[in-house]
Amino acid sequence: MRRAEVLKRVIGILTEAQEIRRAAEAGEDDDGPAAERVVTNLLNEMLPSISVPADSSPEQVARLVAEALGPALQTMVAGFSLAFTSLAIVHDDGQTDVSAIEVLQRLALEVEAGFFDEGA
């Protein structure tokens, strides 16, 4: 999965989390299970499927899992770090007229424009 696609899913997860929080604070029914499914689906889309031969040793399984998940997890962490940093900069600059959702929307537009896509 390309880096931009991962970033979009990370932004989607954070946006959904904001919406869940907003609904909880407002005392609204946040449709918890459906919202959790959205987040779970976005996470699952970012993780590669792993094929392990039946006769693999525990060491081989560990190696295959590490090789498959390592790059995906690194890209996911980078995406969450980028989103956090974007939100932190706005917060630290005292920009109280900008909501977290607006920061995430701006970041999504930058991702869509290709600012962060450097390949897989």
Side-chain angles (χ1 to χ4, degrees):
M1 177 175 289
R2 295 180 60 86
R3 185 169 188 233
E5 293 167 346
V6 171
L7 290 172
K8 289 177 193 176
R9 283 166 178 78
V10 165
I11 292 166
I13 289 168
L14 294 173
T15 301
E16 187 66 26
Q18 279 292 101
E19 194 55 37
I20 292 168
R21 188 184 125 249
R22 185 207 55 79
E25 288 175 352
E28 299 172 2
D29 180 17
D30 66 0
D31 199 19
E36 291 170 10
R37 279 192 301 277
V38 168
V39 171
T40 299
N41 288 341
L42 288 168
L43 281 170
N44 285 336
E45 289 173 3
M46 290 188 282
L47 296 173
S49 58
I50 302 170
S51 179
V52 178
D55 61 346
S56 297
S57 70
E59 293 81 13
Q60 291 170 319
V61 171
R63 184 180 45 75
L64 289 169
V65 169
E67 288 173 357
L69 291 181
L73 292 175
Q74 183 178 8
T75 303
M76 286 172 57
V77 168
F80 279 104
S81 297
L82 174 65
F84 172 82
T85 301
S86 299
L87 292 163
I89 288 169
V90 169
H91 174 271
D92 291 349
D93 286 347
Q95 297 180 34
T96 58
D97 60 329
V98 181
S99 71
I101 294 291
E102 290 170 327
V103 173
L104 293 171
Q105 288 171 341
R106 197 177 320 151
L107 184 58
L109 291 172
E110 291 173 0
V111 170
E112 192 64 35
F115 291 148
F116 303 103
D117 193 14
E118 56 193 43

